[in-house]
Amino acid sequence: MSKRAAFATRVGAIAAAVGSAVGLGNIWRFPYEAGVNGGGAFILVYIVCILIMGIPVILSEFIIGRSTHSNMKAALRTLSPGKKYYLFTYVCILGSFVVIGFYSVVCGWIIEYLYQAALGNLSEHSSAEYSEMFNGLISNPWRCVGWTMLFLVINFIVMSRGIEKGIERVASIMMPLLFVILIVFCVNSLLLPGASKGLDFLFSPDFSKLTWKGVLEALGQAFLSLSIGISCLVTYSSYFDDKTSLVKDAATVGILDTMVAILSGVMIFPAVFSFGVEPTAGPSLIFEVLPSIFQQMTGGYFWALLFFLLVFFASLTSTISLSEIPITFMIEEHKMSRPRAILWTALITFALAAVAALSFNVLDDIKLWGKNIFDMMDYAASNIFMLLGGLFTAVYVGWILDRKVIRDQLTNGGKLKGAMEPYLIFCLRYVAPVSIIFIFLYLTGII
Ligand code: PHE
């Protein structure tokens, strides 16, 4: 077998995994989901989901990936020879296309806002006008499709330069910067008149506002945000070296990702209440609120530009990891060359993303359960694909995988303490499957 690429440094490997996790899921989707689901109680459930399911599933994906140094399908075949578990990989591949399909449309919106920021258009309007501006964008098929395609072209150019050069460099510079700028924005938001209402909304849980559907969405959001359930972290950790402590890395990814999500909430909600925007606005929420924040800041032009630039890079490191799933699969399972695998992945992604981008305008008549195609993809990605994937991973590692492989990976062959093992196994065997299955059954009306 030819030598697989590897991350040059340990920091590079973690930065890439954090780069995959931190993206629009945290900055765009988390605030909108929290807003729609009533705030505080949703966030509390979200954090619990991260601790008892999210981090254990990250660790499981790391165990599968690093113990075999291969893609999900090959990994499952190596770990369970003669069994058919590897077939689940196809669900993961499908899931990764659904995620990237709607996700790249939002990345397209980010480029439009970057462009508007460069033109200086994000500093002189009222919040009502910003809401019109967003509606103008999504109802224009050319702009939506154009920006989405531009984003995807950039994504696939970066990918064609290979794992190390492309991903590592971008991720290790931009992520820390994003963190700092989020803090600057939070401080600004907190200084707005009426900011305390936003904090109340975020941090005083009102369980009467949370439904079981909200709990499902908190869990789906946690999985989407951590990039788990569609074998993304299996692929990434297959490039990890054998000295890395998987437990530490999984905790780092989980904690940093959650911090970015919470910071995004603290940045958005004080402003939501201060400017009188509806917290339940949904996918348009941050696009309606952010410009008003920039406007209040000295040097707003510069901040707006910097913010959208960093979010652009954060999304890029996520879409890179998403597209790496089918690409690695095609290369290793179908013996394609890398350029060819990239081409196929790009073509399928272009088609799906175009449909998603058109679902607010040309295709907006097509609705199922009141959702247009974009909303359906957004919903199905996290609440169906990632949850099913999370369930599969938890059950596979908790019940089926040889315990020796788990112990070996947790302790690096006996060199580290394996104190996490009982907690991990308990969460994987009982907590995650029971919760996921219960929520599914409850929502489908079976119980
Ligand atoms: N976790 C990413 C985000 O929050 C999205 C993602 C999902 C990336 C699945 C890779 C795999 O933006």
Side-chain angles (χ1 to χ4, degrees):
M1 213 176 102
S2 65
K3 192 176 170 297
R4 300 178 91 235
F7 286 107
T9 60
R10 193 183 113 81
V11 175
I14 299 186
V18 175
S20 163
V22 173
L24 293 172
N26 313 57
I27 295 158
W28 159 74
R29 203 172 185 281
F30 177 80
Y32 108 57
E33 282 285 341
V36 172
N37 288 300
F42 174 91
I43 293 178
L44 202 64
V45 173
Y46 176 84
I47 293 176
V48 171
C49 290
I50 297 274
L51 293 175
I52 63 175
M53 291 183 256
I55 295 180
V57 175
I58 300 183
L59 201 45
S60 307
E61 292 206 10
F62 281 179
I63 290 173
I64 299 177
R66 197 188 53 178
S67 63
T68 54
H69 291 296
S70 44
N71 71 71
M72 176 90 157
K73 187 172 171 194
L76 292 177
R77 260 197 316 238
T78 311
L79 293 171
S80 300
K83 299 274 169 24
K84 297 250 181 284
Y85 301 121
Y86 66 86
L87 289 177
F88 194 79
T89 313
Y90 292 98
V91 180
C92 296
I93 306 279
L94 193 64
S96 65
F97 278 120
V98 176
V99 179
I100 196 171
F102 82 89
Y103 198 94
S104 40
V105 175
V106 188
C107 299
W109 298 344
I110 297 290
I111 303 191
E112 156 93 12
Y113 274 73
L114 187 56
Y115 173 66
Q116 295 297 345
L119 294 180
N121 285 344
L122 298 186
S123 44
E124 60 215 23
H125 301 280
S126 65
S127 30
E129 286 171 318
Y130 287 127
S131 144
E132 259 170 52
M133 184 170 165
F134 181 76
N135 289 327
L137 163 67
I138 60 171
S139 55
N140 183 328
W142 294 107
R143 293 241 297 274
C144 271
V145 175
W147 291 127
T148 304
M149 293 303 138
L150 175 65
F151 179 84
L152 286 173
V153 167
I154 299 173
N155 178 63
F156 288 107
I157 289 177
V158 173
M159 303 234 44
S160 61
R161 300 187 53 205
I163 296 209
E164 273 196 19
K165 281 193 219 127
I167 305 177
E168 236 170 275
R169 213 175 288 160
V170 175
S172 3
I173 305 168
M174 295 296 172
M175 287 295 130
L177 206 53
L178 177 68
F179 212 80
V180 174
I181 196 171
L182 276 178
I183 295 176
V184 173
F185 282 128
C186 285
V187 172
N188 267 282
S189 251
L190 291 172
L191 294 176
L192 290 170
S196 62
K197 264 201 183 155
L199 287 184
D200 265 3
F201 180 80
L202 275 178
F203 298 118
S204 23
D206 173 357
F207 282 94
S208 67
K209 287 200 198 133
L210 189 70
T211 57
W212 277 106
K213 191 172 153 286
V215 174
L216 169 80
E217 290 184 14
L219 187 56
Q221 171 63 26
F223 281 23
L224 179 92
S225 190
L226 295 175
S227 308
I228 49 184
I230 51 173
S231 85
C232 180
L233 296 181
V234 172
T235 309
Y236 263 31
S237 58
S238 70
Y239 298 106
F240 284 5
D241 72 29
D242 293 326
K243 287 189 219 90
T244 307
S245 156
L246 294 187
V247 177
K248 262 198 215 149
D249 286 5
T252 310
V253 173
I255 291 168
L256 288 180
D257 187 72
T258 307
M259 281 168 71
V260 174
I262 304 279
L263 284 177
S264 305
V266 174
M267 162 178 83
I268 295 292
F269 283 102
V272 163
F273 286 93
S274 184
F275 298 118
V277 177
E278 276 305 316
T280 51
S284 64
L285 185 69
I286 71 159
F287 295 97
E288 293 180 22
V289 176
L290 280 169
S292 306
I293 304 182
F294 305 140
Q295 203 162 327
Q296 306 283 313
M297 295 168 73
T298 352
Y301 175 83
F302 162 79
W303 289 112
L305 208 56
L306 185 61
F307 179 80
F308 283 112
L309 194 68
L310 291 175
V311 174
F312 167 79
F313 278 106
S315 342
L316 191 60
T317 50
S318 299
T319 51
I320 286 172
S321 72
L322 273 164
S323 2
E324 193 61 44
I325 304 170
I327 291 174
T328 309
F329 175 77
M330 291 179 201
I331 296 175
E332 296 185 358
E333 294 301 312
H334 295 279
K335 306 288 169 259
M336 277 190 202
S337 64
R338 188 166 173 92
R340 216 182 156 78
I342 291 180
L343 188 69
W344 273 110
T345 305
L347 288 177
I348 300 172
T349 309
F350 282 149
L352 280 171
V355 174
L358 292 175
S359 60
F360 293 99
N361 33 71
V362 179
L363 303 176
D364 71 350
D365 289 342
I366 306 182
K367 289 213 165 91
L368 257 185
W369 300 293
K371 290 185 178 357
N372 66 20
I373 300 174
F374 173 94
D375 292 334
M376 274 189 302
M377 285 166 83
D378 177 347
Y379 190 88
S382 45
N383 301 330
I384 299 174
F385 279 102
M386 313 207 76
L387 285 194
L388 276 183
L391 177 62
F392 172 86
T393 312
V395 171
Y396 180 77
V397 174
W399 290 97
I400 297 163
L401 184 61
D402 184 355
R403 194 63 78 79
K404 187 174 167 311
V405 176
I406 302 177
R407 196 160 301 149
D408 241 31
Q409 287 303 317
L410 292 181
T411 62
N412 289 354
K415 289 191 212 70
L416 304 173
K417 284 205 209 102
M420 266 292 273
E421 191 182 323
Y423 174 76
L424 176 71
I425 297 294
F426 180 72
C427 290
L428 295 177
R429 284 197 153 193
Y430 307 105
V431 180
V434 170
S435 322
I436 298 174
I437 292 173
F438 172 78
I439 296 174
F440 270 135
L441 292 182
Y442 188 86
L443 288 174
T444 43
I446 296 174
I447 51 175

